[in-house]
Amino acid sequence: MKTLRKGSFDSSVSFLKNLLSRSGYPVEISPNFDERTHEKVVQFQRANFLDVDGIVGKNTWEKLMMAGYKFSWGATNFILEDDEFMNDYTEKDTIYLHHTAGLHRPDYTIGWWENDNKPGTLNRVGTSFVIGRKSLEGDDMFDGVTYRAFNEMFWAHHLGTRLKNNTLLNKKSIGIEICSLGPLQKSREGKFYFQANSKTIEVPESEVCQLNTPWRGHQYFQKYTDKQIKECERLILTLASIFDVPLKKFKYDSSWFNSNEEAKSGAPGVWTHCNVRADKTDCFPQPEFIAMLNGLYSAYQDFELDYSEFESMAVGAPNQLNKEVLEHYAEDLELIEN
């Protein structure tokens, strides 16, 4: 996150002032780091046994985030139990995009993570956000709806690489899952289907993305819906604004979805799971998805955080779901600890 001091002037200062106010140090919200803001920062630092210099750096950000970061950002809280993720604050500079290799419900994806532990093990696998989709039967209740599995300033394993820096890559990134079955097969009769572990799921042709050229051995995928892509864009812009994740002025195309040495080395920015895993297909190069990525840099220039919903509301808990109905909802994620 940006280091801020008296004289700083941008949206990060407005966010800082919101955190100060919510932590008991009220100050008028504006993008200007003025003398009054400096005084409030000094008071906060003194009360929290920090270096008292009025500069908001790593340690001050951490204390402020732990004290006041309870914004919803339009997501519905469906929080995993504390032992299902690492609830220690970590600085973020990267966003990773995934798809679930599962069906349409974000709550069931999170519920699977809650219940995926074998006896005597604890996986701690998941992403902060899951974006739902329209069901195969046409129910759009969850289409473009985001559920939050844990606060994004914390972390869990979601990449599963065999790189030496695997743990660091997971700690410093925020994961977004998009509900999608992913790669599909086509039958001799022209039907499209997803082969799960124990059953075959037929997918309507209207939900199929056919790539001009097969990618990673697949030509057919369950497409990301328009609402999912729009919500993914909103989440990326929101998180980039908060955590100062760089959005590059870059021309995205299908080649960008291949393995990427920058991503593997820990370069900050927006990446997908397939950039660090040659065996993965999330996310795949759907043209509409590429168009969204190409619009990020321009959209970011005029983007403003929406503080209209401050408190994150919860709608139950993952451990209340029936384990039997959760099968096939999150087959993509796996744990590899380095």
Side-chain angles (χ1 to χ4, degrees):
M1 301 176 77
K2 291 181 180 177
T3 297
L4 302 175
R5 51 173 55 83
K6 187 161 64 174
S8 297
F9 190 95
D10 68 15
S11 60
S12 295
V13 178
S14 299
F15 178 62
L16 164 66
K17 289 183 174 183
N18 270 286
L19 288 180
L20 283 168
S21 296
R22 292 173 62 76
S23 302
Y25 300 84
V27 61
E28 183 179 352
I29 308 302
S30 78
N32 182 25
F33 197 129
D34 53 15
E35 182 62 36
R36 180 68 170 166
T37 307
H38 177 84
E39 293 172 1
K40 294 294 183 180
V41 170
V42 166
Q43 293 172 18
F44 179 85
Q45 289 174 330
R46 185 174 291 116
N48 286 274
F49 307 101
L50 297 164
D51 290 340
V52 181
D53 55 10
I55 298 173
V56 183
K58 178 180 179 180
N59 294 334
T60 302
W61 272 123
E62 178 176 350
K63 289 288 187 179
L64 278 167
M65 292 288 281
M66 294 297 289
Y69 188 71
K70 299 175 183 177
F71 304 100
S72 69
W73 309 127
T76 299
N77 271 4
F78 200 64
I79 304 299
L80 294 164
E81 292 188 1
D82 284 351
D83 62 357
E84 291 287 337
F85 59 94
M86 271 61 78
N87 56 2
D88 53 311
Y89 174 85
T90 56
E91 285 208 339
K92 311 294 183 180
D93 64 10
T94 308
I95 297 169
Y96 268 95
L97 307 177
H98 299 260
H99 65 228
T100 58
L103 293 169
H104 68 289
R105 292 187 58 156
D107 55 340
Y108 282 9
T109 298
I110 297 170
W112 178 258
W113 296 334
E114 182 72 60
N115 290 280
D116 66 351
N117 299 306
K118 296 177 181 179
T121 67
L122 190 60
N123 281 343
R124 292 181 173 173
V125 171
T127 63
S128 292
F129 299 101
V130 185
I131 304 174
R133 69 175 296 116
K134 182 174 66 175
S135 74
L136 293 172
E137 296 73 31
D139 183 351
D140 64 357
M141 175 180 177
F142 292 101
D143 196 11
V145 175
T146 297
Y147 275 50
R148 181 195 258 136
F150 56 88
N151 193 302
E152 56 273 19
M153 64 182 172
F154 304 138
W155 70 282
H157 287 275
H158 60 102
L159 297 174
T161 77
R162 297 190 181 278
L163 300 168
K164 291 182 178 180
N165 61 344
N166 178 66
T167 296
L168 177 61
L169 292 177
N170 286 276
K171 290 181 71 171
K172 74 190 195 77
S173 61
I174 300 169
I176 300 173
E177 283 274 5
I178 304 170
C179 288
S180 170
L181 291 168
L184 304 175
Q185 300 180 53
K186 188 176 183 180
S187 70
R188 293 179 179 178
E189 296 77 24
K191 302 288 187 180
F192 296 94
Y193 64 95
F194 173 81
Q195 186 61 56
N197 288 336
S198 60
K199 63 180 177 180
T200 299
I201 302 172
E202 187 172 330
V203 177
E205 187 173 355
S206 61
E207 291 200 17
V208 177
C209 173
Q210 178 176 342
L211 300 179
N212 292 330
T213 303
W215 181 76
R216 294 200 171 175
H218 304 279
Q219 189 161 12
Y220 308 107
F221 293 81
Q222 186 182 32
K223 66 172 65 171
Y224 311 130
T225 72
D226 291 343
K227 288 183 178 180
Q228 284 182 308
I229 292 172
K230 188 65 178 176
E231 175 65 359
C232 186
E233 176 190 50
R234 187 191 69 83
L235 273 180
I236 292 171
L237 293 172
T238 298
L239 297 169
S241 296
I242 298 164
F243 296 97
D244 197 29
V245 176
L247 299 180
K248 300 176 182 178
K249 191 175 184 180
F250 180 81
K251 180 65 175 177
Y252 293 87
D253 58 27
S254 59
S255 66
W256 178 79
F257 291 77
N258 297 329
S259 295
N260 188 290
E261 293 304 315
E262 281 190 79
K264 292 177 182 179
S265 69
V270 176
W271 302 104
T272 73
H273 201 187
C274 57
N275 291 138
V276 292
R277 293 278 300 272
D279 60 326
K280 292 296 181 181
T281 60
D282 59 323
C283 293
F284 71 93
Q286 179 177 328
E288 295 86 352
F289 194 71
I290 293 174
M292 179 273 288
L293 292 171
N294 277 318
L296 286 175
Y297 180 83
S298 176
Y300 186 66
Q301 308 312 306
D302 301 315
F303 183 77
E304 294 184 6
L305 289 172
D306 181 5
Y307 294 99
S308 60
E309 296 183 16
F310 278 69
E311 296 295 341
S312 300
M313 301 302 294
V315 289
N319 59 10
Q320 297 171 351
L321 295 174
N322 185 332
K323 189 172 181 179
E324 291 184 4
V325 304
L326 301 177
E327 192 174 357
H328 309 313
Y329 269 82
E331 295 186 343
D332 179 57
L333 294 183
E334 62 188 87
L335 174 64
I336 298 177
E337 260 191 284
N338 287 337

